[in-house]
Coordinates of all heavy atoms in Angstrom, one line a residue:
M1 N 204.7 -43.4 27.2 CA 206.0 -42.7 27.2 C 205.9 -41.4 27.9 O 205.0 -40.6 27.6 CB 206.4 -42.6 25.7 CG 207.8 -42.0 25.6 SD 208.3 -42.1 23.9 CE 209.9 -41.4 24.0
I2 N 206.9 -41.1 28.7 CA 207.0 -39.8 29.4 C 207.8 -38.8 28.5 O 208.9 -39.1 28.1 CB 207.7 -40.0 30.8 CG1 206.9 -41.0 31.6 CG2 207.9 -38.7 31.4 CD1 207.5 -41.3 33.0
T3 N 207.2 -37.6 28.4 CA 207.8 -36.6 27.6 C 209.0 -36.0 28.4 O 209.1 -36.1 29.6 CB 206.9 -35.5 27.2 OG1 206.4 -34.8 28.4 CG2 205.6 -36.1 26.4
K4 N 209.9 -35.4 27.6 CA 211.1 -34.8 28.2 C 210.7 -33.6 29.2 O 211.2 -33.5 30.2 CB 212.0 -34.2 27.1 CG 213.3 -33.7 27.7 CD 214.2 -33.3 26.6 CE 215.6 -32.8 27.2 NZ 216.5 -32.4 26.2
A5 N 209.6 -32.8 28.8 CA 209.2 -31.7 29.6 C 208.6 -32.3 30.9 O 208.8 -31.7 31.9 CB 208.1 -31.0 28.8
L6 N 207.8 -33.3 30.8 CA 207.3 -33.9 32.1 C 208.4 -34.4 33.0 O 208.4 -34.2 34.2 CB 206.3 -35.1 31.7 CG 205.6 -35.7 32.9 CD1 204.8 -34.7 33.7 CD2 204.8 -36.9 32.4
Q7 N 209.4 -35.1 32.4 CA 210.5 -35.6 33.2 C 211.2 -34.4 33.9 O 211.6 -34.5 35.0 CB 211.5 -36.3 32.3 CG 211.1 -37.7 31.9 CD 212.1 -38.4 31.0 OE1 212.8 -37.8 30.3 NE2 212.0 -39.7 31.0
E8 N 211.5 -33.3 33.1 CA 212.2 -32.2 33.7 C 211.4 -31.6 34.8 O 211.9 -31.2 35.9 CB 212.4 -31.1 32.6 CG 213.5 -31.6 31.7 CD 213.7 -30.6 30.5 OE1 213.2 -29.5 30.6 OE2 214.5 -30.9 29.6
R9 N 210.1 -31.5 34.7 CA 209.2 -30.9 35.7 C 209.2 -31.8 36.9 O 209.3 -31.3 38.0 CB 207.7 -30.8 35.1 CG 206.9 -29.8 35.8 CD 205.6 -29.5 35.1 NE 204.9 -30.6 34.6 CZ 204.3 -30.7 33.4 NH1 204.3 -29.7 32.6 NH2 203.7 -31.8 33.0
E10 N 209.2 -33.1 36.8 CA 209.2 -34.0 37.9 C 210.5 -33.9 38.6 O 210.6 -34.0 39.8 CB 208.9 -35.4 37.4 CG 207.5 -35.7 37.0 CD 206.5 -35.4 38.2 OE1 206.7 -35.8 39.3 OE2 205.5 -34.7 37.9
F11 N 211.6 -33.9 37.9 CA 212.9 -33.8 38.5 C 213.1 -32.5 39.3 O 213.6 -32.4 40.4 CB 214.1 -34.0 37.5 CG 214.4 -35.4 37.1 CD1 214.2 -35.8 35.9 CD2 214.8 -36.3 38.1 CE1 214.5 -37.1 35.5 CE2 215.0 -37.6 37.8 CZ 214.9 -38.0 36.5
T12 N 212.6 -31.4 38.7 CA 212.6 -30.1 39.4 C 211.9 -30.2 40.6 O 212.3 -29.7 41.7 CB 212.1 -29.0 38.4 OG1 212.9 -29.0 37.2 CG2 212.1 -27.7 39.1
K13 N 210.7 -30.8 40.6 CA 209.9 -30.9 41.8 C 210.6 -31.8 42.9 O 210.6 -31.4 44.1 CB 208.5 -31.6 41.5 CG 207.5 -31.7 42.5 CD 206.2 -32.2 42.1 CE 205.2 -32.4 43.1 NZ 204.0 -33.0 42.7
L14 N 211.3 -32.8 42.5 CA 212.0 -33.6 43.4 C 213.2 -32.9 44.1 O 213.4 -33.0 45.3 CB 212.5 -34.9 42.7 CG 211.4 -36.0 42.4 CD1 212.0 -37.1 41.5 CD2 210.8 -36.5 43.6
F15 N 213.9 -32.1 43.3 CA 215.0 -31.3 43.8 C 214.5 -30.3 44.7 O 215.2 -30.1 45.8 CB 215.8 -30.7 42.6 CG 216.7 -31.7 41.9 CD1 216.6 -31.8 40.5 CD2 217.6 -32.4 42.6 CE1 217.4 -32.7 39.9 CE2 218.5 -33.3 41.9 CZ 218.4 -33.5 40.5
E16 N 213.4 -29.6 44.5 CA 212.8 -28.7 45.4 C 212.4 -29.3 46.7 O 212.7 -28.8 47.7 CB 211.6 -28.0 44.7 CG 212.0 -27.0 43.6 CD 210.8 -26.5 42.9 OE1 209.6 -26.9 43.2 OE2 210.9 -25.7 41.9
Q17 N 211.8 -30.5 46.6 CA 211.4 -31.2 47.8 C 212.6 -31.6 48.6 O 212.6 -31.5 49.9 CB 210.6 -32.4 47.5 CG 209.2 -32.1 47.0 CD 208.4 -33.3 46.5 OE1 208.9 -34.4 46.4 NE2 207.1 -33.1 46.3
A18 N 213.7 -32.0 48.0 CA 214.9 -32.4 48.7 C 215.5 -31.2 49.4 O 216.1 -31.3 50.5 CB 215.9 -33.1 47.8
E19 N 215.5 -30.0 48.7 CA 216.0 -28.8 49.3 C 215.2 -28.4 50.5 O 215.8 -28.0 51.5 CB 216.0 -27.7 48.2 CG 216.8 -26.5 48.6 CD 217.0 -25.5 47.5 OE1 217.2 -26.0 46.3 OE2 216.9 -24.3 47.7
I20 N 213.9 -28.5 50.4 CA 213.0 -28.1 51.5 C 213.3 -29.1 52.7 O 213.3 -28.6 53.9 CB 211.6 -28.2 51.1 CG1 211.3 -27.1 50.1 CG2 210.6 -28.0 52.3 CD1 210.0 -27.2 49.3
A21 N 213.5 -30.3 52.4 CA 213.8 -31.3 53.5 C 215.1 -30.9 54.3 O 215.2 -31.3 55.5 CB 213.9 -32.7 52.9
R22 N 216.0 -30.2 53.7 CA 217.2 -29.8 54.4 C 217.1 -28.5 55.2 O 218.0 -28.1 55.8 CB 218.4 -29.7 53.4 CG 218.8 -31.0 52.8 CD 220.0 -30.9 51.9 NE 219.8 -29.8 51.0 CZ 220.6 -29.6 50.0 NH1 221.7 -30.4 49.7 NH2 220.4 -28.6 49.1
F23 N 215.9 -27.9 55.1 CA 215.7 -26.6 55.8 C 215.9 -26.8 57.4 O 215.5 -27.9 57.9 CB 214.3 -26.1 55.6 CG 214.1 -25.4 54.3 CD1 212.8 -24.9 53.9 CD2 215.2 -25.2 53.4 CE1 212.7 -24.3 52.7 CE2 215.0 -24.6 52.1 CZ 213.7 -24.1 51.8
S24 N 216.3 -25.7 58.0 CA 216.3 -25.8 59.5 C 214.9 -25.6 59.9 O 214.0 -25.3 59.1 CB 217.2 -24.6 60.0 OG 216.6 -23.4 59.7
L25 N 214.6 -25.7 61.2 CA 213.3 -25.6 61.7 C 212.7 -24.1 61.4 O 211.6 -24.0 61.0 CB 213.2 -25.8 63.2 CG 213.4 -27.3 63.6 CD1 213.4 -27.4 65.2 CD2 212.3 -28.1 63.0
E26 N 213.6 -23.1 61.6 CA 213.2 -21.8 61.3 C 212.9 -21.5 59.9 O 211.9 -20.9 59.5 CB 214.2 -20.8 61.9 CG 213.9 -19.3 61.6 CD 212.7 -18.8 62.3 OE1 212.2 -19.5 63.3 OE2 212.1 -17.8 61.9
E27 N 213.8 -22.1 59.0 CA 213.6 -21.9 57.6 C 212.3 -22.6 57.1 O 211.5 -22.1 56.3 CB 214.8 -22.5 56.8 CG 216.0 -21.7 56.9 CD 217.2 -22.4 56.3 OE1 217.3 -23.7 56.4 OE2 218.1 -21.7 55.8
R28 N 212.0 -23.8 57.7 CA 210.8 -24.6 57.3 C 209.6 -23.8 57.8 O 208.6 -23.7 57.0 CB 210.8 -25.9 58.0 CG 209.7 -26.8 57.5 CD 209.8 -28.2 57.9 NE 211.0 -28.7 57.2 CZ 211.4 -30.0 57.3 NH1 210.7 -30.8 58.0 NH2 212.5 -30.4 56.7
R29 N 209.6 -23.1 59.0 CA 208.5 -22.4 59.5 C 208.2 -21.2 58.5 O 207.1 -20.9 58.2 CB 208.8 -21.9 60.9 CG 207.5 -21.1 61.5 CD 207.9 -20.4 62.8 NE 208.9 -19.4 62.6 CZ 208.6 -18.2 62.0 NH1 207.4 -17.9 61.6 NH2 209.6 -17.3 61.9
V30 N 209.3 -20.5 58.1 CA 209.1 -19.3 57.2 C 208.6 -19.8 55.9 O 207.7 -19.2 55.3 CB 210.5 -18.6 57.1 CG1 210.4 -17.6 55.9 CG2 210.9 -18.0 58.4
Y31 N 209.1 -20.9 55.4 CA 208.6 -21.5 54.1 C 207.2 -21.8 54.2 O 206.4 -21.5 53.3 CB 209.5 -22.7 53.7 CG 208.9 -23.5 52.6 CD1 209.1 -23.0 51.3 CD2 208.2 -24.7 52.8 CE1 208.5 -23.7 50.2 CE2 207.6 -25.3 51.7 CZ 207.8 -24.8 50.4 OH 207.3 -25.5 49.3
E32 N 206.8 -22.6 55.2 CA 205.4 -23.0 55.4 C 204.5 -21.8 55.6 O 203.3 -21.7 55.0 CB 205.2 -23.9 56.6 CG 205.8 -25.3 56.3 CD 205.9 -26.2 57.4 OE1 205.5 -25.8 58.6 OE2 206.3 -27.4 57.3
D33 N 204.9 -20.7 56.3 CA 204.1 -19.5 56.4 C 203.9 -18.8 55.0 O 202.8 -18.3 54.7 CB 204.8 -18.5 57.4 CG 204.7 -19.0 58.8 OD1 203.9 -19.9 59.1 OD2 205.4 -18.4 59.7
S34 N 205.0 -18.8 54.2 CA 204.9 -18.2 52.9 C 203.9 -19.0 52.0 O 203.2 -18.4 51.2 CB 206.2 -18.0 52.3 OG 206.8 -19.2 51.9
V35 N 204.0 -20.3 52.1 CA 203.1 -21.2 51.3 C 201.7 -20.9 51.7 O 200.7 -20.8 50.9 CB 203.5 -22.7 51.4 CG1 202.4 -23.5 50.8 CG2 204.8 -22.9 50.7
K36 N 201.4 -20.8 53.0 CA 200.1 -20.6 53.5 C 199.6 -19.2 53.0 O 198.4 -19.1 52.6 CB 200.0 -20.6 55.0 CG 198.6 -20.4 55.6 CD 198.7 -20.4 57.2 CE 197.3 -20.2 57.7 NZ 196.6 -19.0 57.3
A37 N 200.4 -18.2 53.1 CA 200.0 -16.8 52.6 C 199.7 -16.9 51.2 O 198.7 -16.3 50.7 CB 201.2 -15.8 52.9
Y38 N 200.5 -17.6 50.4 CA 200.3 -17.7 48.9 C 198.9 -18.3 48.7 O 198.1 -17.8 47.9 CB 201.4 -18.5 48.3 CG 201.0 -18.9 46.8 CD1 201.2 -18.0 45.8 CD2 200.5 -20.1 46.6 CE1 200.8 -18.3 44.5 CE2 200.2 -20.5 45.2 CZ 200.4 -19.6 44.2 OH 200.0 -19.9 43.0
R39 N 198.6 -19.4 49.4 CA 197.4 -20.1 49.2 C 196.2 -19.3 49.6 O 195.1 -19.2 49.0 CB 197.3 -21.4 49.9 CG 198.3 -22.5 49.3 CD 198.3 -23.8 50.1 NE 199.2 -24.7 49.5 CZ 199.8 -25.7 50.1 NH1 199.5 -25.9 51.4 NH2 200.6 -26.5 49.5
D40 N 196.3 -18.5 50.7 CA 195.3 -17.6 51.2 C 195.0 -16.5 50.1 O 193.8 -16.2 49.8 CB 195.6 -17.0 52.5 CG 195.6 -17.9 53.7 OD1 195.1 -19.0 53.5 OD2 196.1 -17.6 54.7
I41 N 196.0 -15.9 49.6 CA 195.9 -14.9 48.6 C 195.2 -15.5 47.3 O 194.3 -14.9 46.7 CB 197.2 -14.2 48.2 CG1 197.7 -13.4 49.4 CG2 197.1 -13.4 47.0 CD1 199.1 -12.9 49.3
N42 N 195.7 -16.6 46.9 CA 195.1 -17.3 45.7 C 193.6 -17.6 45.9 O 192.8 -17.4 45.0 CB 196.0 -18.6 45.4 CG 195.7 -19.1 44.0 OD1 195.6 -18.3 43.1 ND2 195.8 -20.4 43.8
N43 N 193.3 -18.1 47.1 CA 191.9 -18.4 47.4 C 191.0 -17.2 47.4 O 189.9 -17.2 46.9 CB 191.7 -19.2 48.7 CG 192.2 -20.6 48.6 OD1 192.2 -21.2 47.5 ND2 192.6 -21.2 49.7
A44 N 191.6 -16.1 47.9 CA 190.9 -14.8 47.9 C 190.6 -14.3 46.5 O 189.5 -13.8 46.1 CB 191.6 -13.8 48.7
I45 N 191.6 -14.4 45.6 CA 191.5 -14.0 44.2 C 190.4 -14.8 43.5 O 189.6 -14.3 42.8 CB 192.8 -14.0 43.5 CG1 193.8 -13.0 44.1 CG2 192.7 -13.9 42.0 CD1 195.2 -13.1 43.6
N46 N 190.5 -16.1 43.7 CA 189.5 -17.0 43.1 C 188.1 -16.8 43.5 O 187.2 -16.8 42.7 CB 189.9 -18.5 43.3 CG 191.1 -18.9 42.5 OD1 191.5 -18.3 41.5 ND2 191.8 -20.0 43.0
T47 N 187.9 -16.5 44.8 CA 186.6 -16.2 45.4 C 186.1 -14.9 44.7 O 185.0 -14.7 44.4 CB 186.7 -16.1 46.9 OG1 187.1 -17.3 47.4 CG2 185.3 -15.7 47.5
A48 N 187.0 -13.9 44.7 CA 186.6 -12.6 44.1 C 186.2 -12.7 42.6 O 185.2 -12.1 42.2 CB 187.7 -11.6 44.2
K49 N 186.9 -13.6 41.9 CA 186.5 -13.8 40.5 C 185.2 -14.5 40.4 O 184.4 -14.1 39.5 CB 187.6 -14.7 39.8 CG 188.9 -14.1 39.5 CD 189.9 -15.0 38.9 CE 191.2 -14.4 38.5 NZ 192.1 -15.3 37.9
K50 N 184.9 -15.4 41.2 CA 183.6 -16.1 41.2 C 182.5 -15.1 41.5 O 181.4 -15.2 40.9 CB 183.6 -17.3 42.2 CG 184.4 -18.5 41.7 CD 184.4 -19.6 42.8 CE 185.4 -20.7 42.4 NZ 185.5 -21.7 43.4
E51 N 182.7 -14.3 42.6 CA 181.7 -13.3 42.9 C 181.5 -12.3 41.8 O 180.3 -11.9 41.6 CB 182.1 -12.6 44.2 CG 182.0 -13.5 45.4 CD 182.6 -12.8 46.7 OE1 183.1 -11.7 46.6 OE2 182.5 -13.5 47.8
A52 N 182.5 -11.9 41.1 CA 182.4 -11.0 40.0 C 181.5 -11.6 38.9 O 180.7 -10.9 38.3 CB 183.7 -10.5 39.5
K53 N 181.8 -12.9 38.7 CA 181.0 -13.6 37.6 C 179.5 -13.6 37.9 O 178.7 -13.4 37.1 CB 181.6 -15.0 37.4 CG 180.9 -15.7 36.2 CD 181.6 -17.0 36.0 CE 180.9 -17.8 34.9 NZ 181.4 -19.1 34.6
V54 N 179.2 -13.9 39.2 CA 177.9 -14.0 39.6 C 177.2 -12.6 39.5 O 176.1 -12.5 39.0 CB 177.7 -14.5 41.1 CG1 176.3 -14.3 41.6 CG2 178.1 -16.0 41.1
E55 N 177.9 -11.6 39.9 CA 177.4 -10.2 39.8 C 177.1 -9.8 38.3 O 176.1 -9.2 38.0 CB 178.4 -9.2 40.4 CG 178.4 -9.2 41.9 CD 179.4 -8.2 42.5 OE1 179.7 -7.2 41.8 OE2 179.9 -8.5 43.6
A56 N 178.0 -10.2 37.5 CA 177.8 -9.9 36.0 C 176.6 -10.7 35.5 O 175.8 -10.1 34.7 CB 179.1 -10.3 35.2
N57 N 176.4 -11.9 36.0 CA 175.3 -12.7 35.5 C 174.0 -12.1 36.0 O 172.9 -12.1 35.3 CB 175.4 -14.2 35.9 CG 176.4 -15.0 35.1 OD1 176.7 -14.5 34.0 ND2 176.9 -16.0 35.6
V58 N 174.0 -11.6 37.2 CA 172.8 -11.0 37.8 C 172.4 -9.7 37.0 O 171.3 -9.5 36.7 CB 173.0 -10.7 39.3 CG1 171.9 -9.8 39.9 CG2 173.0 -12.0 40.1
E59 N 173.5 -8.9 36.7 CA 173.2 -7.7 36.0 C 172.7 -8.0 34.6 O 171.7 -7.4 34.1 CB 174.5 -6.9 35.8 CG 174.4 -5.6 35.2 CD 175.7 -4.8 35.1 OE1 176.5 -4.9 36.0 OE2 175.9 -4.0 34.1
A60 N 173.3 -9.0 33.9 CA 172.7 -9.4 32.6 C 171.3 -9.9 32.7 O 170.5 -9.6 31.9 CB 173.7 -10.5 32.0
A61 N 171.0 -10.7 33.7 CA 169.7 -11.3 33.9 C 168.7 -10.2 34.1 O 167.6 -10.3 33.6 CB 169.7 -12.3 35.0
S62 N 169.1 -9.2 34.9 CA 168.2 -8.1 35.1 C 167.8 -7.4 33.9 O 166.7 -7.0 33.6 CB 168.8 -7.2 36.2 OG 168.0 -6.1 36.4
K63 N 168.8 -7.1 33.0 CA 168.6 -6.4 31.7 C 167.7 -7.3 30.8 O 166.8 -6.8 30.1 CB 169.9 -6.2 31.1 CG 170.7 -5.1 31.7 CD 172.0 -4.8 31.1 CE 172.8 -3.7 31.8 NZ 174.2 -3.5 31.2
M64 N 168.0 -8.6 30.8 CA 167.2 -9.5 29.9 C 165.8 -9.5 30.4 O 164.8 -9.5 29.6 CB 167.8 -10.9 30.0 CG 169.1 -11.1 29.4 SD 169.7 -12.8 29.7 CE 171.4 -12.7 29.0
K65 N 165.6 -9.6 31.7 CA 164.2 -9.6 32.2 C 163.5 -8.3 31.9 O 162.3 -8.4 31.5 CB 164.3 -9.8 33.8 CG 163.0 -10.0 34.4 CD 163.1 -10.3 35.9 CE 161.7 -10.4 36.5 NZ 161.8 -10.6 38.0
S66 N 164.2 -7.2 32.0 CA 163.5 -5.9 31.7 C 163.2 -5.8 30.2 O 162.3 -5.1 29.8 CB 164.4 -4.7 32.2 OG 165.5 -4.6 31.4
D67 N 163.9 -6.5 29.4 CA 163.7 -6.6 27.9 C 162.5 -7.6 27.6 O 162.2 -7.7 26.4 CB 164.9 -6.9 27.2 CG 165.8 -5.7 27.1 OD1 165.5 -4.6 27.4 OD2 167.0 -5.9 26.7
G68 N 162.0 -8.3 28.6 CA 160.9 -9.2 28.4 C 161.4 -10.6 28.0 O 160.5 -11.4 27.5
M69 N 162.6 -11.0 28.1 CA 163.1 -12.3 27.7 C 162.5 -13.3 28.7 O 162.4 -13.1 29.9 CB 164.6 -12.4 27.8 CG 165.2 -13.7 27.3 SD 167.0 -13.7 27.3 CE 167.3 -13.0 25.7
P70 N 162.1 -14.5 28.2 CA 161.6 -15.6 29.1 C 162.5 -16.0 30.1 O 163.7 -16.1 29.9 CB 161.2 -16.7 28.1 CG 161.1 -16.1 26.8 CD 162.1 -14.9 26.8
T71 N 162.0 -16.2 31.3 CA 162.8 -16.6 32.5 C 163.7 -17.9 32.2 O 164.8 -17.9 32.6 CB 161.9 -16.9 33.7 OG1 161.1 -15.7 33.9 CG2 162.7 -17.1 35.0
E72 N 163.1 -18.8 31.5 CA 163.8 -20.0 31.2 C 165.1 -19.8 30.4 O 166.1 -20.4 30.6 CB 162.9 -21.1 30.5 CG 161.8 -21.6 31.4 CD 160.6 -20.7 31.5 OE1 160.5 -19.7 30.7 OE2 159.8 -20.9 32.4
L73 N 165.0 -18.9 29.4 CA 166.1 -18.5 28.6 C 167.2 -17.7 29.4 O 168.4 -18.0 29.2 CB 165.7 -17.7 27.4 CG 165.2 -18.5 26.2 CD1 164.8 -17.5 25.1 CD2 166.2 -19.5 25.6
I74 N 166.7 -16.9 30.2 CA 167.6 -16.1 31.1 C 168.4 -17.1 32.0 O 169.6 -17.0 32.1 CB 166.9 -15.1 31.9 CG1 166.2 -14.1 31.1 CG2 167.8 -14.4 32.9 CD1 165.2 -13.1 31.8
S75 N 167.7 -18.1 32.5 CA 168.4 -19.1 33.3 C 169.4 -19.9 32.6 O 170.5 -20.1 33.0 CB 167.3 -20.0 33.9 OG 167.9 -21.0 34.7
K76 N 169.0 -20.2 31.3 CA 169.9 -21.0 30.5 C 171.2 -20.3 30.2 O 172.3 -20.8 30.2 CB 169.2 -21.3 29.2 CG 170.1 -22.1 28.2 CD 169.3 -22.3 26.9 CE 170.2 -23.0 25.8 NZ 169.5 -23.2 24.5
Y77 N 171.1 -18.9 29.9 CA 172.3 -18.2 29.5 C 173.1 -17.6 30.7 O 174.3 -17.3 30.5 CB 171.8 -17.1 28.5 CG 171.3 -17.5 27.2 CD1 170.0 -17.2 26.8 CD2 172.1 -18.4 26.4 CE1 169.6 -17.7 25.6 CE2 171.6 -18.9 25.2 CZ 170.3 -18.6 24.8 OH 169.9 -19.1 23.6
T78 N 172.5 -17.5 31.8 CA 173.2 -16.9 32.9 C 173.6 -17.9 34.0 O 174.5 -17.6 34.8 CB 172.4 -15.8 33.6 OG1 171.2 -16.4 34.2 CG2 172.0 -14.7 32.7
G79 N 172.9 -19.1 34.0 CA 173.2 -20.1 35.0 C 172.5 -19.8 36.3 O 172.7 -20.5 37.3
L80 N 171.7 -18.7 36.4 CA 171.0 -18.4 37.6 C 169.7 -19.3 37.6 O 169.2 -19.6 36.6 CB 170.6 -16.9 37.6 CG 171.7 -15.9 37.6 CD1 171.2 -14.5 37.5 CD2 172.5 -16.0 38.9
S81 N 169.2 -19.5 38.9 CA 168.0 -20.3 39.0 C 166.8 -19.4 38.6 O 166.9 -18.2 38.7 CB 167.8 -20.8 40.4 OG 167.6 -19.8 41.3
I82 N 165.7 -20.1 38.3 CA 164.5 -19.4 38.0 C 164.0 -18.5 39.2 O 163.6 -17.4 39.1 CB 163.4 -20.3 37.5 CG1 163.8 -20.9 36.2 CG2 162.0 -19.7 37.5 CD1 162.8 -22.0 35.6
E83 N 164.2 -19.1 40.4 CA 163.9 -18.3 41.6 C 164.7 -17.0 41.8 O 164.2 -16.0 42.2 CB 164.0 -19.2 42.9 CG 163.0 -20.4 42.9 CD 163.5 -21.6 42.1 OE1 164.6 -21.6 41.6 OE2 162.6 -22.4 41.8
E84 N 166.0 -17.2 41.5 CA 166.9 -16.0 41.5 C 166.4 -14.9 40.5 O 166.4 -13.7 40.8 CB 168.3 -16.4 41.3 CG 168.9 -17.2 42.4 CD 170.3 -17.8 42.0 OE1 170.4 -18.3 40.9 OE2 171.2 -17.7 42.9
I85 N 166.1 -15.4 39.4 CA 165.7 -14.4 38.3 C 164.3 -13.8 38.6 O 164.2 -12.5 38.5 CB 165.6 -15.2 36.9 CG1 167.0 -15.7 36.5 CG2 165.0 -14.2 35.9 CD1 167.0 -16.7 35.5
E86 N 163.4 -14.5 39.2 CA 162.1 -14.0 39.5 C 162.2 -13.0 40.7 O 161.4 -12.0 40.8 CB 161.1 -15.1 39.9 CG 160.7 -15.9 38.7 CD 159.8 -17.1 39.0 OE1 159.7 -17.4 40.2 OE2 159.3 -17.7 38.1
A87 N 163.3 -13.1 41.5 CA 163.5 -12.2 42.6 C 164.1 -10.9 42.2 O 164.1 -9.9 43.0 CB 164.4 -12.9 43.7
L88 N 164.6 -10.8 41.0 CA 165.2 -9.5 40.5 C 164.1 -8.5 40.3 O 163.0 -8.7 39.9 CB 165.9 -9.8 39.2 CG 167.1 -10.7 39.3 CD1 167.7 -11.0 37.9 CD2 168.2 -10.1 40.1

């Protein structure tokens, strides 16, 4: 059974697609450019978040290693490879 919220979301999506289909060539170009810009920004944000997480894990691994924690445990808790940890 399809929920009411799902139905409303699908109808909204269909109406948006129908509206886009009626765009002039210039309106469609502007729309597609804005969608591309949105996706580029979103991808940049996601990449930055991933890089920040890796940096945090490297920092934590470095502290764990300096405290004498076994490499295998550091790897388990940070997700870094043993080779990456040994290179710290």
Side-chain angles (χ1 to χ4, degrees):
M1 181 173 183
I2 298 175
T3 65
K4 185 175 181 178
L6 180 61
Q7 285 178 335
E8 288 176 9
R9 204 169 42 219
E10 289 300 315
F11 280 120
T12 300
K13 187 176 176 181
L14 288 172
F15 284 124
E16 288 173 358
Q17 289 175 351
E19 191 171 322
I20 293 166
R22 293 187 306 191
F23 282 176
S24 69
L25 290 176
E26 179 63 17
E27 289 171 326
R28 187 169 297 181
R29 185 191 62 75
V30 169
Y31 170 78
E32 289 172 357
D33 287 348
S34 69
V35 169
K36 182 184 180 306
Y38 168 80
R39 289 179 181 156
D40 289 346
I41 291 168
N42 197 35
N43 286 336
I45 290 169
N46 288 337
T47 299
K49 286 179 181 178
K50 288 176 186 175
E51 289 173 358
K53 183 177 180 182
V54 169
E55 287 178 25
N57 284 341
V58 168
E59 185 177 328
S62 181
K63 289 177 183 178
M64 291 175 188
K65 185 176 178 182
S66 68
D67 285 346
M69 184 178 274
T71 305
E72 292 78 16
L73 279 179
I74 298 171
S75 177
K76 176 181 177 182
Y77 294 123
T78 64
L80 298 174
S81 70
I82 291 175
E83 293 80 17
E84 290 171 315
I85 296 164
E86 289 174 349
L88 295 175

